[in-house]
């Protein structure tokens, strides 16, 4: 077998298998990295989402500091007053296959303001029309919800009162508020007078599906090994044929495949 392996043809095949295996290794590592990220996100959500709310200052002690990734989806309860003049509509937000807006409003709290996502509303009948927006509560409101990190800027110029994404620096510029380094998705709101509060459509629960990345990682690594296996099988077969010729044995005839219609014609 070593004599067959050292021929130019099989050395080239072995080199091609090595290159293929290296590519499969890195593709597997890429899928593994995506699995680790998805698993960490799912664990973060499941460990936080149904937990008891805690004070805002425990998860976000400083107004200007960004929300740590480990604290994302932490439930908090905070009391303040909404700044209705700072209401913004975030465009092109999906909800059950439809696109509309998410309504975000700064909630004034001691030391700054927390941007609150009050839910989803449908588009208006025409692009020039303003959609129906639930009234912003007045007076003191206690809000319970989940903290999220801000979103990247889409670098789009938007009309007054609209945002392209929930980018906190852009939202601070649009509202003039000194915002915390995370925003809040509303779970419930309660006014000091306990009067009913009009709400937009609540946002769907976060997706905890980790996807097929782990299976894809192992598939790529198996593909990398398979290349060497195929080369090994080919070398062994050729070596066996050469030994048979050297021993004076007749070559083994290749078996002809019998097709279904050949059997029917027989």
């Amino acid at each position: 077998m070593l004599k067959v392996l050292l021929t130019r043809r099989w050395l080239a095949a072995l080199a091609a298998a090595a290159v293929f295996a290296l590519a499969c290794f890195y593709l597997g590592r890429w899928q593994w990295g995506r699995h680790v990220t998805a698993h960490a996100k799912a664990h973060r959500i499941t460990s936080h989402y149904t937990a008891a709310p805690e004070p805002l200052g425990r998860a976000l002690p400083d107004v200007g500091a960004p929300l740590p990734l480990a604290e994302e989806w932490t439930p908090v309860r905070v009391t303040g007053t909404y700044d209705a003049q700072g209401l913004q509509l975030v465009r092109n937000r999906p909800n059950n296959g439809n696109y509309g807006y998410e309504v975000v409003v700064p909630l004034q709290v001691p030391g700054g303001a927390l941007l609150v996502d009050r839910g989803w509303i449908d588009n208006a009948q025409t692009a020039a029309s303003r959609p129906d927006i639930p009234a912003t509560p007045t007076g003191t409101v206690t809000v319970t919800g989940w903290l999220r990190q801000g979103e990247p800027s889409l670098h789009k110029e938007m009309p007054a009162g609209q945002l392209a994404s929930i980018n906190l620096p852009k939202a601070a510029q649009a509202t003039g508020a000194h915002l915390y380094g995370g925003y809040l998705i509303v779970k419930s709101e309660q006014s000091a007078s306990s009067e009913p509060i009009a709400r937009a459509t609540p946002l769907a629960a976060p997706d905890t599906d980790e996807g097929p990345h782990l299976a894809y990682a192992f598939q790529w690594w198996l593909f990398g090994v398979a290349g060497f296996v195929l080369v090994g099988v080919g070398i062994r077969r050729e070596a066996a044929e050469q030994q048979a010729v050297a021993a004076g044995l007749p070559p083994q005839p290749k078996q002809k495949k019998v097709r279904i219609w050949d059997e029917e014609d027989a």
Side-chain angles (χ1 to χ4, degrees):
M1 287 182 62
L2 182 60
K3 183 179 178 181
V4 175
L5 171 62
L6 295 179
T7 60
R8 179 180 298 179
R9 181 164 65 92
W10 285 113
L11 285 175
L14 188 63
V19 172
F20 178 70
L22 187 63
C24 289
F25 172 75
Y26 282 107
L27 286 169
R29 280 191 60 181
W30 170 60
Q31 288 291 347
W32 177 264
R34 297 186 69 184
H35 162 69
V36 170
T37 300
H39 178 74
K41 178 183 176 183
H43 176 72
R44 199 161 55 244
I45 294 171
T46 54
S47 62
H48 288 166
Y49 197 76
T50 58
E54 60 183 52
L56 176 64
R58 187 173 299 172
L60 269 176
D62 299 318
V63 176
L67 177 70
L69 183 60
E71 297 295 334
E72 194 171 36
W73 293 107
T74 296
V76 298
R77 181 176 289 117
V78 59
T79 299
T81 56
Y82 279 119
D83 176 14
Q85 299 301 316
L87 184 148
Q88 301 288 315
L89 299 178
V90 188
R91 295 184 63 174
N92 295 324
R93 309 296 281 199
N95 182 60
N96 293 325
N98 297 320
Y99 280 82
Y101 300 92
E102 287 178 28
V103 182
V104 296
V105 189
L107 181 72
Q108 298 293 337
V109 297
L114 179 67
L115 192 67
V116 175
D117 188 332
R118 301 194 63 230
W120 182 90
I121 59 174
D122 202 354
N123 288 321
Q125 293 296 325
T126 66
S129 304
R130 185 174 176 84
D132 294 328
I133 305 172
T136 304
T138 58
T140 303
V141 181
T142 298
V143 183
T144 302
W146 300 276
L147 288 174
R148 295 294 313 276
Q149 289 187 321
E151 299 173 354
S153 172
L154 300 182
H155 304 289
K156 293 182 179 180
E157 293 296 327
M158 303 299 294
Q162 294 187 11
L163 298 171
S165 66
I166 307 179
N167 178 260
L168 295 176
K170 290 282 189 182
Q173 182 180 359
T175 62
H178 183 38
L179 295 177
Y180 273 84
Y183 72 96
L184 189 74
I185 294 178
V186 167
K187 179 182 180 182
S188 64
E189 297 169 307
Q190 184 176 4
S191 65
S193 61
S194 298
E195 294 181 356
I197 294 176
R199 284 282 309 277
T201 302
L203 301 184
D207 184 12
T208 57
D209 183 17
E210 298 182 21
H213 306 298
L214 181 60
Y216 287 166
F218 285 117
Q219 284 179 6
W220 279 119
W221 291 331
L222 287 174
F223 288 160
V225 174
F228 289 111
V229 172
L230 291 174
V231 171
V233 169
I235 292 173
R236 184 170 181 174
R237 181 178 297 169
E238 185 169 319
E241 291 176 353
Q242 291 182 2
Q243 289 175 356
V245 171
L249 298 175
Q252 294 292 330
K254 293 183 179 180
Q255 294 184 352
K256 182 180 179 181
K257 292 183 179 179
V258 178
R259 296 169 295 185
I260 295 177
W261 48 85
D262 292 333
E263 291 180 345
E264 292 176 349
D265 295 339

